[in-house]
Amino acid sequence: MEHQTERIAHQGRFKIQSLLVGLLAFTLIGSTAILTVVSIQHQNETIMRTTRQKNFEAARNLAIAANTIKQLMFKQLGGTGRYIIDEELPLDGEGRTLGALLMGNGIFNGSLLVDGEGEVLVSTLGTGFAVGDRLGVETGISLTGHEIGPWMSAPFVSPGGHRVVLALHPMKAGDERTAVYIAGLVDLEIANVFSDMFSHTIKSDPGTYAYLVDRSGELMMSAQADRAGEVIPAKALLETFGGGDTESDGASEGLVASPGKTHERTKGPGQDGRGQGDGPLDRSAPMSPFDEPPGRPGEPPGQGSGSVPRSAMLADGNGVETLVGYLRVGDLGWGVVVQSPIFIVDKAKREFISTQLKWSVPLIAAFLLLSLWMARKMAAPFARLTAVARSIASGERAGRPPFESHWNYEAHHLARAMMTAVQGLQHQADEMSLQARTDRLTRLANRTGLDEWLKAREGDSAGYALMVIDIDHFKSVNDKYGHQIGDDTLVHLASILKAECRETDLVCRIGGEEFVAVLPGEKLEGATLLAERVRGRVEDAISPTGRPITVSIGIGACSEPGESFDTTFQLADGALYEAKRAGRNRTMASA
């Protein structure tokens, strides 16, 4: 074949300008195609990651809102119960007075009064309960142990045939024979306060599906009944995100710990498998039946540093690959699922490819036409230009042009144009690589930059120390001063970290208000001193808010060869958690 090609070329069947243009076309189109494929792959990964994170954030917002609604339910029940007792209001069995007091704001679909034996004393229309009915074993509700605080029942089927949940609050403390409970009913099969909230999320993000599942992962409530087939199978949810009884949920279930001790769980009223309570209660401090329930309304559910993921790709009930975000609702045992079908990512990828082709194809075509015109005027310089093009095609970076100037006008400018185009593509690739490793706001390394730094140090036997830094109450900075001041505050902290750390140290922003500093060759004691110096400087410096901020810092150290970074990070992150628990604005070294 080579001999035949040489013979054909020797016979003069190929023009030199055709060969040159063909080589230029191969070089430019090949380089552009490689960069385009890399860009598409990176864009695809970015969209996937962003969609999963977006769905988790939506699940977290819904979980916070649901937890807040639960607190409002308890507050309304407690206030209504107090009002009924203080005013000695007469209550008829049909519940007209009770309904007027409880159901005006649309939180509940119905309301009840039950005694300590579970017998219904008063029932409004639409609850499915009649006066004299009992909340028995078939409903999964037991009133024993709930005389001093509000609680939420597990989902059950009412006598009316609908799946419902009850929010109950004692009106009269005492033994179970004298206690009276006021209860609000939420019907999960018709429009309710939760379905309205989920429906708004779905409408604001077309293609996304959000719903509630119970502790076993089964569908509990959906704002779109026609999409029930898209629900993620319960087995897949539990296997991926756990049954909701892991340490990563500790922030929402009353996880208590002291430094250096194993975590232990405390149970509050209703956490006995028959109904979900509202958090741990201190039984040493008597509580009025109308006190506000324990818990912290609006606080995001815990997402610890354990192995339970926050989002995943799972197949829905129809077998469609779906990007899923999941989070539990406080201590209720319910789970919020927000999912988006994979075709949303495919659609965004197609739009990206279309945009790339729209701009690159005309530019390449125009350049090739220009090269063809110039090639007709050139002769001698072609050999040198061809050699340069081959070196570029082999993967080498373009250096200086083959000649600074040439007597042939066309050859002179073709050389410059070719080198400019290739160097521009190289510069674009370099910029994309740098952006992928750098946090755009603080100009520190991001998680990708951290991973590359760690990979480059694989096999290095020298130990290192690790600081995990988190701004205290950063959410309040955004809420009070706005996100611009919040961003400036992050940059402010980044500048302090860069000033205090050595040039050999790596300072990263790995998300939100959380920063990491890797200190090669440093011991735990030295890292602790540096962390305290950083904390003190931050506390003394005036931030963009007009006053100082504070940070909490956890320190860990890797002293054993072969110990993974994740292990060291978990030690430092655990120390940060202890610093937060101990009151914030402090440093804490891992044990």
Side-chain angles (χ1 to χ4, degrees):
M1 179 64 69
E2 293 180 356
H3 177 71
Q4 183 180 4
T5 302
E6 291 176 358
R7 182 170 60 84
I8 294 175
H10 181 71
Q11 292 175 351
R13 296 188 179 183
F14 294 97
K15 295 181 179 180
I16 189 169
Q17 61 265 29
S18 299
L19 294 173
L20 180 57
V21 170
L23 183 58
L24 287 173
F26 173 78
T27 303
L28 292 173
I29 296 176
S31 300
T32 303
I34 292 172
L35 291 175
T36 300
V37 169
V38 172
S39 299
I40 291 171
Q41 181 64 25
H42 176 74
Q43 183 75 2
N44 184 60
E45 293 174 356
T46 300
I47 295 173
M48 293 274 286
R49 183 170 58 251
T50 301
T51 302
R52 287 174 55 172
Q53 179 64 23
K54 178 202 69 175
N55 286 349
F56 170 74
E57 294 295 341
R60 178 163 60 183
N61 291 338
L62 288 172
I64 293 172
N67 200 49
T68 302
I69 290 173
K70 178 196 71 173
Q71 303 290 349
L72 293 175
M73 287 180 175
F74 289 158
K75 183 175 290 187
Q76 184 176 3
L77 289 172
T80 302
R82 184 188 297 276
Y83 180 75
I84 291 173
I85 292 176
D86 291 346
E87 298 297 326
E88 299 181 355
L89 296 181
L91 297 174
D92 57 282
E94 296 181 0
R96 285 185 290 270
T97 302
L98 184 61
L101 291 173
L102 274 180
M103 299 172 62
N105 57 10
I107 292 182
F108 299 111
N109 299 107
S111 54
L112 305 168
L113 281 183
V114 297
D115 64 12
E117 298 289 340
E119 181 177 344
V120 176
L121 304 177
V122 177
S123 174
T124 61
L125 294 176
T127 64
F129 288 92
V131 174
D133 287 346
R134 285 185 177 273
L135 303 179
V137 177
E138 62 276 7
T139 65
I141 298 177
S142 172
L143 301 179
T144 303
H146 297 288
E147 296 86 356
I148 63 171
W151 61 292
M152 202 85 170
S153 79
F156 65 93
V157 178
S158 72
H162 283 203
R163 202 165 189 224
V164 301
V165 293
L166 285 178
L168 300 99
H169 200 300
M171 288 179 58
K172 182 178 181 182
D175 60 44
E176 64 175 334
R177 293 186 174 275
T178 59
V180 176
Y181 298 86
I182 183 171
L185 179 143
V186 178
D187 192 328
L188 301 176
E189 297 186 18
I190 63 175
N192 58 69
V193 64
F194 294 114
S195 66
D196 292 344
M197 177 177 64
F198 277 67
S199 178
H200 175 74
T201 298
I202 295 170
K203 291 178 181 177
S204 63
D205 192 358
T208 296
Y209 184 31
Y211 51 91
L212 270 176
V213 296
D214 59 21
R215 185 179 293 273
S216 63
E218 297 292 343
L219 178 64
M220 175 176 159
M221 187 215 69
S222 170
Q224 291 180 305
D226 58 334
R227 299 182 66 178
E230 301 177 29
V231 171
I232 303 299
K235 181 180 179 181
L237 275 180
L238 295 181
E239 289 178 349
T240 304
F241 300 107
D245 197 23
T246 63
E247 284 195 4
S248 62
D249 296 316
S252 62
E253 286 196 12
L255 190 66
V256 294
S258 58
K261 294 186 178 181
T262 304
H263 289 176
E264 297 179 358
R265 294 187 181 276
T266 60
K267 286 192 176 183
Q271 293 178 310
D272 54 4
R274 296 168 295 194
Q276 283 64 50
D278 189 46
L281 290 175
D282 182 2
R283 296 188 181 275
S284 63
M287 179 178 178
S288 164
F290 301 101
D291 285 343
E292 286 197 26
R296 291 170 288 184
E299 181 173 295
Q303 187 70 28
S305 60
S307 60
V308 178
R310 304 186 303 179
S311 60
M313 179 185 292
L314 300 172
D316 65 15
N318 296 326
V320 177
E321 291 294 329
T322 305
L323 302 175
V324 181
Y326 174 87
L327 198 65
R328 288 184 56 194
V329 180
D331 54 5
L332 295 178
W334 306 347
V336 175
V337 181
V338 180
Q339 62 190 57
S340 302
I342 195 68
F343 69 75
I344 292 180
V345 176
D346 294 336
K347 180 182 177 181
K349 184 166 62 175
R350 287 193 298 270
E351 292 175 352
F352 177 76
I353 294 174
S354 176
T355 302
Q356 289 282 90
L357 294 176
K358 177 182 177 181
W359 287 98
S360 60
V361 170
L363 289 175
I364 294 174
F367 190 82
L368 289 175
L369 290 175
L370 178 62
S371 300
L372 177 61
W373 178 81
M374 295 180 68
R376 295 179 182 273
K377 306 295 183 181
M378 305 179 73
F382 281 170
R384 297 174 66 183
L385 291 175
T386 301
V388 172
R390 285 176 178 171
S391 68
I392 294 173
S394 66
E396 298 180 8
R397 293 184 63 88
R400 297 177 61 83
F403 39 79
E404 295 295 336
S405 61
H406 196 274
W407 60 267
N408 188 312
Y409 179 86
E410 289 78 14
H412 173 79
H413 287 283
L414 178 59
R416 294 185 58 187
M418 184 185 73
M419 297 303 296
T420 299
V422 173
Q423 289 172 351
L425 291 173
Q426 291 177 348
H427 178 73
Q428 180 183 1
D430 294 341
E431 285 293 323
M432 292 174 62
S433 177
L434 178 62
Q435 291 175 9
R437 302 192 307 269
T438 306
D439 177 57
R440 182 175 299 179
L441 176 64
T442 62
R443 309 310 298 173
L444 299 175
N446 58 15
R447 185 58 195 240
T448 300
L450 173 61
D451 291 340
E452 291 185 0
W453 188 87
L454 292 171
K455 185 175 181 180
R457 287 178 55 88
E458 285 181 356
D460 189 349
S461 60
Y464 61 88
L466 179 68
M467 297 194 307
V468 180
I469 307 101
D470 189 86
I471 300 177
D472 297 328
H473 304 294
F474 182 70
K475 183 178 182 298
S476 64
V477 173
N478 280 333
D479 293 343
K480 185 174 181 181
Y481 300 100
H483 289 282
Q484 182 59 51
I485 296 298
D487 289 347
D488 293 343
T489 302
L490 293 173
V491 175
H492 166 72
L493 175 58
S495 65
I496 293 177
L497 290 172
K498 288 190 289 187
E500 292 294 335
C501 291
R502 303 168 299 184
E503 290 186 2
T504 56
D505 299 334
L506 179 68
V507 182
C508 311
R509 179 189 176 206
I510 60 175
E513 67 273 21
E514 191 170 19
F515 295 76
V516 164
V518 187
L519 316 174
E522 191 61 81
K523 303 295 184 182
L524 189 64
E525 296 78 11
T528 303
L529 293 174
L530 173 61
E532 185 59 27
R533 190 164 69 246
V534 169
R535 187 201 62 78
R537 181 169 174 182
V538 172
E539 185 181 25
D540 294 336
I542 299 300
S543 74
T545 64
R547 57 191 183 88
I549 59 172
T550 62
V551 294
S552 298
I553 305 177
I555 308 104
C558 173
S559 56
E560 297 293 333
E563 183 174 337
S564 70
F565 176 81
D566 290 341
T567 300
T568 307
F569 181 85
Q570 289 177 7
L571 291 174
D573 196 53
L576 172 64
Y577 175 76
E578 295 298 334
K580 292 285 188 180
R581 284 178 53 83
R584 296 182 170 85
N585 190 22
R586 63 193 63 223
T587 60
M588 189 76 70
S590 62

